[in-house]
Amino acid sequence: MSVNRLHIGIFGRVNTGKSSLINMITGQEISLVSHFPGTTTDPVKKSVEITDIGPAVLIDTAGMDDLGEIGSMKIQRSKEVIRRVDCAILLISGNQFGDYEVRLIEQFNKNEVPYLIAHNKSDIDKIAAITKTAIKQYSNAEIIDFSTTHPADKERLIGALKRIVPETAFLKSSLIGDLVKPKDVVLLITPIDEAAPEGRLILPQNQTLRDALDNDCVVIVIKDTELADFSKLRIRPALAISDSSVFGIVAKRLPQDIPLTSFSILFARLKGDFEAYMAGTPKISQLEEDDHVLILESCTHQVSCDDIGRVKIPTLLQKFTGNKLRFTVVSGLTELPANPRDFALVVQCGGCMITRKQLLNRLRPFIEAGVPVTNYGMALAYLHGIFNRATRVFNKKSTELQLFPDF
Ligand code: SF4
C-alpha cells in the first residue's frame, strides 16, 4: 500500500453496483474480487490512477451489510476501513436508504471522513424526493444521481469526488520548511555505524536531505565523528538535525543556542499529533508500578521496529521510572483494545508505512479518553534526557540566533 496515494473507501449494500462504479471512475475493467465472495470480511484494495485526481487506492468493502455473525464481523471491518481512508463514497441504489447507511454516516462523521452519497442505476430508478429528504435528516453530504451505464455521468461523479478530497491529501508537507529560510545552512549528523545500511542513507535522513534541498538550503552532511572538524570551519548552521542514537554527544558539542532536533522528532511532527505527543511524552515520569503501556506498531514484520517497540522502549521505560510496567503490543492496523482507559500511556511507532490520517485515527480514541500519547522518537528523546533540547526548536521564541562561538 502506498502511503502517498489518496485512499478512497467505497461503501454500500450488495448489488448497488460498486464494481461498475470503480470501473467507471478508473476507466478500466478492474475486478476487485475477493477469494471468497460473500464470506470474507476483508476489504479488497486496488491501486489506480484517476483522471484529474491522480494516484489513489480504492478500498472496496463489498458485501458488508450482511446480517448474522459474519455480517457483524463485516460491519466491524468496515468501521476499521473508515478509520483508514481519506474520503468515501456511500453508494445506494433503488432509493434504498436505511439503518445501514445511517450507521455508516455516523462512522464517517465520527472519524471526520468526507464523503458523498451516490445513487446508482438512475436509468432504472431515479432518486426520489422522499429519499433525498430522508438522507438530509442525517447528512449534509452532496448527493449525486447517476448511472454507471451513462458514460456522460463520469465527469459529474469525478467532479463530486474531487470536491470531497481533503486538501491535505494533496499537500506535500515539508519537514523543515517552517524552521528555515532559503540559503540557511542546515547541518545533518548521520552516524555511519554497524547499524547503517550498506551504501545508502536511511529513509528519514534521505528525505530530510531532500527536504532541505527543496527549501533551497545549503546542506552539510557529516558523521558524528567529524563534528570537531566541522567546528573548525566556523560555519554556523541555522538548524542542526541529528540521528537520535548520537543526539547526546551532538547536544554536548553543539552550542545551546543552535537549534537542534532529531530526524525522528521531525517525522513525529510530520506524521503524528505533535501537540498530543508534546503534552503526553513528559507523562512518562508519572508512570506508576504495574501501569499498563500500549505499544502501537503500524505494520507487521519490521524487525528493527520490533526491537525498539518491544525491547528497547519497555526496558528503558522501566529503568527510567524504576517501576515494573505491563506492556501490550498491537501490530498493523488491527482492532484496538476496547477500553482506551485501560492504559496509562500509548507509544505509537513512527508510522512510516501508513498515512497521517490513518495514524491520527488510531490515536484519536486514546486522546479523546485523556490517555497520554507519545511516539518512539519522542519517548526515546525523553528517556535519554534530550527531549527539551530536541523540541525547543519548535518553540519559536527560543530559536533566536546568536553569534556562533567555537565548539
Ligand atoms: S515505524 Fe514504520 S516500519 Fe516501524 S512499525 Fe511503524 S510503520 Fe512499521
Side-chain angles (χ1 to χ4, degrees):
M1 179 178 68
S2 167
V3 174
N4 296 321
R5 286 173 174 260
L6 177 73
H7 287 60
I8 305 171
I10 317 260
F11 299 83
R13 299 181 194 231
V14 183
N15 293 329
T16 45
K18 289 197 284 294
S19 298
S20 314
L21 170 79
I22 288 164
N23 291 340
M24 184 182 217
I25 292 173
T26 60
Q28 302 165 34
E29 284 292 316
I30 289 174
S31 174
L32 293 186
V33 180
S34 73
H35 296 304
F36 307 100
T39 58
T40 182
T41 61
D42 290 335
V44 187
K45 295 178 206 153
K46 180 83 184 169
S47 291
V48 297
E49 193 73 25
I50 304 176
T51 316
D52 289 344
I53 289 184
V57 175
L58 294 177
I59 306 175
D60 181 10
T61 57
M64 286 192 170
D65 57 327
D66 294 0
L67 297 173
E69 202 178 318
I70 287 180
S72 63
M73 279 163 66
K74 289 176 176 179
I75 297 280
Q76 187 53 40
R77 289 303 308 245
S78 67
K79 282 186 189 169
E80 285 165 23
V81 173
I82 290 171
R83 286 192 214 116
R84 300 186 207 173
V85 294
D86 294 299
C87 56
I89 300 176
L90 172 53
L91 196 63
I92 58 174
S93 67
N95 284 291
Q96 194 173 17
F97 180 85
D99 281 353
Y100 172 73
E101 286 76 17
V102 171
R103 274 198 283 167
L104 283 170
I105 288 169
E106 282 167 3
Q107 291 298 321
F108 294 149
N109 292 337
K110 189 172 169 207
N111 291 284
E112 296 176 13
V113 171
Y115 64 98
L116 69 92
I117 298 174
H119 181 263
N120 191 12
K121 306 184 187 178
S122 64
D123 51 323
I124 303 168
D125 193 3
K126 282 197 177 306
I127 191 163
I130 192 169
T131 309
K132 282 189 184 174
T133 307
I135 293 173
K136 288 204 184 299
Q137 281 180 18
Y138 300 96
S139 169
N140 291 323
E142 181 170 352
I143 304 167
I144 176 162
D145 197 25
F146 80 110
S147 169
T148 51
T149 59
H150 290 165
D153 284 350
K154 177 179 173 178
E155 211 171 301
R156 279 196 308 123
L157 192 65
I158 302 260
L161 190 52
K162 274 170 76 179
R163 284 191 284 282
I164 60 159
V165 171
E167 251 183 54
T168 47
F170 291 128
L171 284 182
K172 188 184 170 305
S173 305
S174 171
L175 283 162
I176 61 166
D178 59 330
L179 303 175
V180 293
K181 49 186 193 315
K183 316 305 172 212
D184 272 353
V185 174
V186 174
L187 177 65
L188 306 185
I189 303 131
T190 64
I192 305 290
D193 52 19
E194 280 174 6
E198 193 69 33
R200 63 180 171 85
L201 295 176
I202 59 171
L203 193 64
Q205 297 166 351
N206 207 333
Q207 275 181 237
T208 309
L209 170 58
R210 175 59 197 259
D211 196 62
L213 294 173
D214 284 343
N215 281 290
D216 300 329
C217 293
V218 177
V219 193
I220 300 174
V221 187
I222 58 166
K223 292 183 288 185
D224 51 309
T225 45
E226 266 60 62
L227 262 174
D229 299 293
F230 173 74
S231 74
K232 291 180 192 148
L233 301 175
R234 297 183 62 80
I235 297 169
R236 182 196 171 83
L239 177 66
I241 303 159
S242 169
D243 192 272
S244 300
S245 63
V246 293
F247 196 101
I249 303 158
V250 175
K252 272 194 203 125
R253 284 185 166 261
L254 271 188
Q256 284 292 321
D257 59 305
I258 292 186
L260 169 66
T261 191
S262 71
F263 294 105
S264 52
I265 287 182
L266 285 177
F267 277 83
R269 192 170 77 117
L270 184 78
K271 241 348 180 352
D273 187 331
F274 196 61
E275 228 172 272
Y277 290 161
M278 286 293 282
T281 307
K283 296 282 187 326
I284 286 174
S285 294
Q286 295 173 18
L287 287 174
E288 293 177 355
E289 183 75 13
D290 204 38
D291 269 351
H292 199 171
V293 176
L294 178 65
I295 308 283
L296 291 180
E297 291 175 340
S298 296
C299 74
T300 49
H301 312 305
Q302 294 292 329
V303 176
S304 64
C305 284
D306 282 1
D307 289 349
I308 297 172
R310 296 174 189 227
V311 181
K312 208 169 176 180
I313 289 178
T315 307
L316 283 169
L317 277 175
Q318 297 191 97
K319 201 170 160 201
F320 183 89
T321 59
N323 290 318
K324 190 156 175 34
L325 306 167
R326 286 175 295 136
F327 294 91
T328 294
V329 179
V330 173
S331 262
L333 295 178
T334 49
E335 200 177 337
L336 293 167
N339 188 1
R341 291 197 176 86
D342 286 345
F343 299 93
L345 180 74
V346 175
V347 188
Q348 164 70 52
C349 77
C352 63
M353 307 292 279
I354 60 170
T355 67
R356 179 176 156 78
K357 183 156 181 52
Q358 287 169 339
L359 195 151
L360 294 180
N361 281 343
R362 299 284 286 172
L363 291 178
R364 187 196 308 273
F366 301 97
I367 293 171
E368 283 177 358
V371 178
V373 297
T374 181
N375 93 329
Y376 284 10
M378 299 194 70
L380 286 173
Y382 193 80
L383 293 165
H384 285 125
I386 58 170
F387 180 75
N388 288 342
R389 175 87 194 264
T391 54
R392 202 186 300 151
V393 62
F394 306 110
N395 172 1
K396 300 283 181 203
K397 285 188 197 126
S398 63
T399 60
E400 280 173 29
L401 302 180
Q402 296 162 16
L403 284 175
F404 179 51
D406 282 336
F407 64 96

